[in-house]
Amino acid sequence: MIDSALGGVMAHIRNTGDSKHGRPGGYRRSGTTMRRTLRREAPSTIGLLADEQDFAAMRRYRTFTFDDHTVYLQQVEVLLKSLSAQGMHATVALFDPEEYAEYCAESGLAPDTPASRSRFTAEVASAGATVAYTGQPIDTLIPLLVSRAVRRATWEYATMILAGLGECADCGKDVGQAAFDRASHLLLRMLETAGPGTHHLVCSTPTDNENLLAVLHTERDSAGPARLGTQEGAEFVTVLAVGIALERPGGVVLRTSRPGTQDRVHGWRLTRGDLAPLSAGEVFSAYCTDADTGEPVAPESHVEYCAGFDLGADAPESHH
């Protein structure tokens, strides 16, 4: 929310004493100047209502004064630009009206106040998905924020599934941890075998309630190992681990790009808790079929569809 832009706490400074207690040379900055300096160093967080449905839900509150979603988004962008122009760091978090109402009820807060919205925004930003504002247009920022929020929710749900699997009845090992270790090993083997280049991986794992999807981007040069983003890598491994632990029929696709060569696409089928290589024909069929309609999609001219490579068996066992 715009009225919850202040993410930090402003210090109250008492300006007392004479010049000899001030800065060297007898110069003493005024309290107002010091507060302005501190304000520039206090981060700001904005809770954003990304779609019209959420925006409409907030209009029931008297203190929420906006009545047009387009105008609201324009004013959010103006605020972000203003904060950036002042040299202030700003982040944007997704504001969910239903979660906000639940938060107020559990915390005993009156929901129809800017202070409650500000407090909720700070809580969301501390534990949820945020996007740092770096000057990007609002139309670019919103899809990025929504995507990051979905990824965060997927990771939390997958983590909950793994944590609830308990111990193996035969060997006593933690099933979720064993599956995570196995998934980590498979991912590293995949990237090591793929070699240098820019790698884009997608993992799909069905569960009882929904289909989990994880995406990973990473690069590897010829002189060193693959570079994994900590959060993105953990999300990918966790989703793959769910498929391994539950033995669901998911899959993984790897696309590798290198300068001066065609992109190469490899695929694996997740079956019985392991990744089995797909044939080149199966990769082509999977990659060139619309997932929603089942209709064929024209193949890309600069892409070579390849069989998945053997990831080997020398890895931690996922379960016993």
Side-chain angles (χ1 to χ4, degrees):
M1 311 302 296
I2 286 182
D3 55 20
S4 62
L6 296 182
V9 177
M10 196 65 168
H12 178 64
I13 302 175
R14 297 180 59 189
N15 184 23
T16 58
D18 56 28
S19 61
K20 68 180 181 180
H21 299 297
R23 293 171 62 84
Y27 170 72
R28 184 178 72 245
R29 301 175 67 180
S30 69
T32 300
T33 301
M34 286 189 285
R35 284 192 292 273
R36 287 174 178 170
T37 299
L38 281 176
R39 180 66 191 92
R40 286 195 296 269
E41 297 185 11
S44 296
T45 304
I46 297 175
L48 180 67
L49 296 162
D51 60 52
E52 293 190 14
Q53 184 176 353
D54 287 345
F55 179 83
M58 291 302 295
R59 290 194 60 198
R60 68 177 182 266
Y61 299 119
R62 178 186 57 82
T63 57
F64 182 73
T65 57
F66 288 93
D67 57 12
D68 184 276
H69 188 235
T70 300
V71 173
Y72 162 80
L73 292 179
Q74 291 171 347
Q75 292 303 310
V76 169
E77 188 166 19
V78 169
L79 174 59
L80 288 169
K81 289 180 178 179
S82 175
L83 293 171
S84 179
Q86 298 174 55
M88 298 168 59
H89 177 74
T91 58
V92 181
L94 204 61
F95 194 102
D96 187 308
E98 291 185 6
E99 292 183 3
Y100 172 64
E102 293 173 1
Y103 171 81
C104 289
E106 293 173 358
S107 304
L109 299 175
D112 197 1
T113 66
S116 295
R117 293 194 288 272
S118 177
R119 183 170 169 179
F120 173 72
T121 298
E123 292 282 347
V124 170
S126 66
T130 61
V131 172
Y133 178 71
T134 57
Q136 61 269 59
I138 194 74
D139 291 342
T140 301
L141 190 148
I142 289 177
L144 180 61
L145 179 61
V146 171
S147 174
R148 192 159 296 179
V150 170
R151 280 176 42 202
R152 176 82 182 192
T154 298
W155 177 65
E156 290 176 348
Y157 179 64
T159 300
M160 180 185 68
I161 291 176
L162 292 179
L165 294 177
E167 297 179 349
C168 175
D170 294 328
C171 69
K173 290 187 177 180
D174 187 297
V175 176
Q177 183 61 56
F180 190 90
D181 292 343
R182 173 67 175 167
S184 300
H185 175 85
L186 289 173
L187 174 59
L188 290 176
R189 285 295 301 269
M190 200 177 298
L191 294 175
E192 288 171 359
T193 308
T198 299
H199 304 296
H200 175 83
L201 299 99
V202 179
C203 177
S204 176
T205 298
T207 68
D208 293 336
N209 298 317
E210 60 183 294
N211 188 62
L212 302 183
L213 194 70
V215 178
L216 174 63
H217 300 271
T218 185
E219 294 183 4
R220 181 185 177 190
D221 56 37
S222 57
R227 296 188 293 271
L228 294 178
T230 303
Q231 185 61 40
E232 198 177 51
E235 292 166 358
F236 188 93
V237 169
T238 304
V239 169
L240 177 57
V242 168
I244 291 173
L246 300 182
E247 297 190 350
R248 296 298 172 87
V252 174
V253 173
L254 164 67
R255 179 167 180 162
T256 299
S257 303
R258 298 188 185 97
T261 64
Q262 287 186 318
D263 286 6
R264 296 172 60 87
V265 177
H266 303 267
W268 294 262
R269 179 185 294 107
L270 188 56
T271 177
R272 300 185 65 183
D274 207 351
L275 287 176
L278 295 175
S279 68
E282 288 173 321
V283 172
F284 178 88
S285 177
Y287 212 80
C288 299
T289 301
D290 188 291
D292 296 323
T293 66
E295 296 295 320
V297 177
E300 299 177 60
S301 59
H302 62 289
V303 173
E304 181 181 357
Y305 301 94
C306 310
F309 36 81
D310 185 13
L311 298 177
D314 54 333
E317 294 183 9
S318 60
H319 55 81
H320 297 262

